[in-house]
Amino acid sequence: MRQAELRRQAEALGPWFHNIDLGEGVWTAPNHFLGDYPGFKWRRFAHSVPEDLTGRSVLDIGCNAGFYSVEMKRRGAARVLGLDSDERYLAQGRFVAERLGYDIEFRNLSVYDVGRLGERFDVVLFMGVLYHLRYPLLALDLIHAHVADDLLVFQSMLRGSPQVEPVAEDYDFFDMDAFERPGYPKLHFVEHAYANDCTNWWIPNRAGIEAMLRASGFCIQSRPEAEVYLCRRVEAPYGAEAVYPARPVGNGET
């Protein structure tokens, strides 16, 4: 009966995108189309994330149901804050944290809102979010400007060529061949939908995402998995800064 009740509670919060072991033989997404996701991906790069996070603070942006937030708590993180703009995911995350006995805070904020937090974190997780954003470079700039203090653990879906070629500091106006090379940084724009998901907007190639990380002030330390990068926050290059568009306050005024 205990297993049946736990399964009923989990199913009531579904559908789930994170497959998480709740104990009692109950998993949140046992029939996930990707398999044991994101567990199988985590196992590929878990060794590259500090095993001891005792006393550290962690921000999980786009936390979904909190799989990575839980893993950070398992490594001893003192404070873990998960952000998402989907209330269903936040409810799932709170349910998982309570079920597993972890003190994790969840808040309804998007990556564009991180300036409101007013604090920096030792570790920032930004996993599987960038390609869902209409303004991906702005998101990286805001993370750099407001919340990243040291380590950024980043993941993005990648499409296009896996090649990475050296990029010149400048190009002549009439030099157009560079843009045709497979290893030139690119973002593929999705006008309608990709994989039946209309929230997929920009999908980079490998060269593109590595260039974007550098351009936002993140030095790539390692690439332990095909889509995962461990980066250190460094000084942003000249010209890199987040923009803050003014919002209308009434009568067309800003």
Side-chain angles (χ1 to χ4, degrees):
M1 288 296 294
R2 184 165 58 181
Q3 183 189 65
E5 175 60 17
L6 182 59
R7 181 174 289 110
R8 184 196 66 78
Q9 292 176 357
E11 290 176 351
L13 291 169
W16 295 71
F17 190 67
H18 281 180
N19 188 36
I20 300 172
D21 183 2
L22 298 174
E24 305 293 338
V26 178
W27 292 74
T28 57
N31 300 315
H32 200 296
F33 76 101
L34 291 175
D36 181 22
Y37 185 86
F40 78 85
K41 182 173 285 289
W42 167 243
R43 289 189 288 272
R44 293 175 180 171
F45 71 91
H47 65 280
S48 61
V49 178
E51 292 186 6
D52 185 2
L53 293 174
T54 302
R56 304 287 186 89
S57 59
V58 178
L59 178 65
D60 187 0
I61 303 174
C63 62
N64 202 279
F67 176 92
Y68 291 111
S69 294
V70 166
E71 293 301 329
M72 297 302 101
K73 267 296 183 180
R74 284 176 172 157
R75 296 192 174 204
R79 168 163 160 73
V80 177
L81 172 60
L83 305 183
D84 210 290
S85 56
D86 188 315
E87 280 294 342
R88 178 168 58 88
Y89 291 149
L90 293 171
Q92 292 174 354
R94 294 183 182 110
F95 173 75
V96 167
E98 181 178 2
R99 167 65 190 169
L100 299 181
Y102 291 116
D103 180 18
I104 301 172
E105 180 184 356
F106 293 93
R107 294 180 61 181
N108 190 329
L109 290 174
S110 82
V111 64
Y112 305 122
D113 299 318
V114 293
R116 294 169 54 183
L117 295 175
E119 62 178 305
R120 291 191 178 273
F121 296 80
D122 298 307
V123 180
V124 174
L125 303 174
F126 195 40
M127 309 291 290
V129 180
L130 184 123
Y131 46 92
H132 292 299
L133 303 175
R134 287 178 65 94
Y135 314 105
L137 191 60
L138 172 59
L140 289 173
D141 287 342
L142 290 169
I143 291 171
H144 185 276
H146 295 289
V147 291
D149 194 47
D150 182 22
L151 182 65
L152 173 69
V153 185
F154 175 86
Q155 181 262 328
S156 175
M157 174 171 60
L158 303 177
R159 292 294 183 267
S161 173
Q163 298 181 38
V164 178
E165 300 180 15
V167 178
E169 290 293 326
D170 194 7
Y171 289 93
D172 185 86
F173 181 81
F174 296 100
D175 182 1
M176 293 175 276
D177 292 340
F179 300 97
E180 302 299 328
R181 297 202 303 267
Y184 190 84
K186 293 181 176 70
L187 277 177
H188 306 282
F189 179 67
V190 179
E191 181 179 2
H192 302 296
Y194 180 75
N196 295 313
D197 188 343
C198 64
T199 72
N200 287 320
W201 287 104
W202 295 97
I203 307 176
N205 64 359
R206 179 184 168 188
I209 200 55
E210 293 181 6
M212 290 176 69
L213 287 167
R214 292 191 299 269
S216 300
F218 293 103
C219 177
I220 298 171
Q221 301 292 292
S222 65
R223 180 174 171 253
E225 201 264 352
E227 298 180 339
V228 176
Y229 292 88
L230 266 69
C231 308
R232 297 288 180 185
R233 183 187 185 277
V234 295
E235 184 177 353
Y238 175 79
E241 59 184 32
V243 297
Y244 304 91
R247 294 184 176 183
V249 294
N251 298 323
E253 298 178 357
T254 59

